[in-house]
Amino acid sequence: QKQERQKRGKVLTPRKQSTNHLPKKKKKLMEKVPLMDNQDNVSDTQPLAQTDKSDLCYLVSLTSIAAIGGFLFGYDTGVVGGAALTLKPHFNLTDFELSLVVSIALGGAVLGALCAGRISDHYGRKTTIFFADILFITGSLILLFSQEIYELYVGRFVVGIGIGTASMIVPVYLAEISPDHRRGAIVSCNIFFVTFGQLASYLLCLAFPDWRVTLGIIAAIPPTIQAIFIWFFPESPRWQVKVGRIEEAKKGLAKILNINDQETINHSISEMSNSLTSESEAPLGDLVRDLFGRYRTLAILGCGLQFWQQFVGINTVMYYGPEIMQKAGFSSDSDAIISSIPLAAMNLAGTIVAINFIDRKGRRWILLKTLPFVVLSLGLMTLASVSIGYTPFQEFGKILSLVALMLYIASFSIGMGPTPWTVNSEIYPLHLRGVGTSAATTVNWISNFIVSLSFLPLSSTNAGNVAAWVILTACAASCFVFVYHRLPETKDRSLEEILTLFKLNGNDDGLIDKNTTVNEPKMA
């Protein structure tokens, strides 16, 4: 029956069911929502996928304002690479102290990611975005007026909390307000803003060498804009259903999709309501046990993708791009920054490609096609590092390192850049979406912290530099194996239907068959 259902592209709408076993709050919520009778003419993507009438301009405006959080994520992680070239002599920083200035923000991001899930579940997605903006503004002002090293650490830590909060909540908010057939592209727009923020940080560091301008003044402008304009857009309808605000959810959904068809709206609200379980109001400890118990397969997939995203080395390039270029032979500060600009531009261009293909080809397809090129480029970077150690081959190593990094950024930005965030925003059930995304984002930032703190000291010698790239190459190959065995295709499916792709009995046997084709994910 399930195979027939997949072939026909049909799904049965929710049946009326007994609510006697549910808590009072859940029973009241179910009574508010009109459940649809079974109909054979309702497709598995209706209604959120059928949004030809949706106001594209409105969606673009909403996405742009929400994705400012992504811009800040990219800008505040990228700007320190360019600013470090003037920070280091200004404060007479050692390599370890400079690494700490970078990495302490990542420690703050871990804290922000840990807390953001629960905050968003209690107070809403928009309120959490606003909270992140306040942190960005506060941290930027601390950095602007810093006179001592410890003040730099405090400012970067506060900014880091904002980065972690934004990196967790923005993809969730965008996924929950997106039509199904545009969800991959809309969530990937957040990564487009991340990469645009990184490119902007390099250009602004080149235009304004004073680190106080780039870390303080400029960094405070985007969060101020977002903090004002985010209130002109609706809250996530799925979160509103979760907390029982059914009428508000209907109004928000009608506005987002630009439709007045009450039957379509009621069907969407019904699907959202039925995705809730009796555990929706459980304490945090119970939710965590549920995530790593019954839903362990999802936790391993989500956290694993975020772990490998960092351990294939992207942020060593983005944080320390100018330093890497100096080691490759671009001696002056301006040359090092200028040589890093093509990397950031390639990152931005690759993300645009991903936005166009992630919903057409799918998440799994993109990763399996791009990861081999990530492995190849890191292998070439290893060869370049070896060449730089020998005087006759230094010029060859210099050119090869730039080519290898361009190939690396291009392949990473199309695949491992946006896809882990997209997958994590869509695989968890509604009652675990905040906790699940928060856990995966925390893994991302812990991994980021480890890689970023260790790369610069490890690569301080030529032998250590070679070893660092060998390790990253091995990690990229391991990532390919992980994706091949664990990731099913989720494109063109509603958030509620994606759960049917996994076996969820807590025994971690929900792996897809390695013989399953890209477009035919294994059903539970």
Side-chain angles (χ1 to χ4, degrees), residues 351-461:
T351 307
I352 295 173
V353 174
I355 290 172
N356 285 306
F357 281 95
I358 196 166
D359 283 321
R360 291 165 55 190
K361 295 293 187 179
R363 290 64 157 147
R364 177 180 165 88
W365 186 92
I366 282 181
L367 287 183
L368 293 181
K369 295 297 183 184
T370 57
L371 276 170
F373 290 98
V374 173
V375 176
L376 173 63
S377 60
L378 290 172
L380 291 175
M381 195 63 201
T382 303
L383 178 60
S385 299
V386 173
S387 302
I388 291 168
Y390 296 92
T391 303
F393 301 102
Q394 283 182 346
E395 191 64 27
F396 168 76
K398 177 180 177 180
I399 296 171
L400 182 60
S401 63
L402 186 57
V403 172
L405 286 177
M406 292 287 282
L407 176 62
Y408 170 79
I409 290 294
S411 51
F412 181 95
S413 60
I414 296 171
M416 281 300 289
T419 307
W421 297 104
T422 301
V423 172
N424 267 284
S425 70
E426 61 190 8
I427 61 173
Y428 304 106
L430 183 53
H431 77 287
L432 290 177
R433 193 161 296 145
V435 174
T437 308
S438 183
T441 306
T442 300
V443 169
N444 181 289
W445 287 111
I446 291 174
S447 304
N448 194 334
F449 179 83
I450 294 170
V451 173
S452 300
L453 187 62
S454 59
F455 180 80
L456 204 56
L458 178 61
S459 61
S460 59
T461 65

Side-chain angles (χ1 to χ4, degrees), residues 85 322 325-337 339 398:
L85 297 175
M325 289 296 99
Q326 283 188 331
K327 286 183 172 65
F330 296 90
S331 55
S332 71
D333 288 354
S334 60
D335 284 347
I337 294 177
S339 64
K398 177 180 177 180

Side-chain angles (χ1 to χ4, degrees), residues 13 34 61 95 106 167 183 194 214 236 250 259 262 277 285 297 314 332 342 437 457 465 482 491:
T13 52
S61 300
D95 276 352
L106 309 183
S167 66
R183 186 175 61 245
V194 172
T214 51
S236 161
K250 289 181 180 180
I259 56 175
Q262 286 302 310
T277 72
T297 297
I314 181 59
S332 71
T437 308
N465 194 35
F482 178 87
K491 75 182 183 76

Side-chain angles (χ1 to χ4, degrees), residues 129-145:
I129 291 173
F130 179 77
F131 172 66
D133 291 328
I134 298 302
L135 290 168
F136 281 121
I137 295 169
T138 303
S140 299
L141 292 177
I142 293 172
L143 289 168
L144 176 62
F145 295 106

Side-chain angles (χ1 to χ4, degrees), residues 29 65 79 95 159 161 179 190 206 211 228 250 323 347 396 407 418 424 459 467 481 505:
L29 175 59
I65 292 298
V79 70
D95 276 352
V159 167
I161 299 175
N190 181 55
L206 195 62
W211 60 269
I228 295 171
K250 289 181 180 180
E323 293 273 345
N347 200 12
F396 168 76
L407 176 62
N424 267 284
S459 61
V481 175
N505 58 12

Side-chain angles (χ1 to χ4, degrees), residues 5-12 40-50 180 267 271 491-497:
R5 171 178 153 192
Q6 187 181 15
K7 288 178 182 178
R8 296 195 319 266
K10 309 284 176 109
V11 68
L12 295 177
D40 196 40
N41 63 346
V42 180
S43 73
D44 61 349
T45 55
Q46 182 183 356
L48 291 183
Q50 296 179 353
D180 295 336
H267 178 80
E271 280 194 336
K491 75 182 183 76
D492 291 336
R493 297 180 182 273
S494 70
L495 294 178
E496 289 71 31
E497 189 191 0

Side-chain angles (χ1 to χ4, degrees), residues 168-190:
M168 177 269 155
I169 191 57
V170 173
V172 171
Y173 177 69
L174 290 176
E176 291 187 342
I177 57 91
S178 302
D180 295 336
H181 70 304
R182 289 181 177 148
R183 186 175 61 245
I186 288 177
V187 176
S188 295
C189 282
N190 181 55

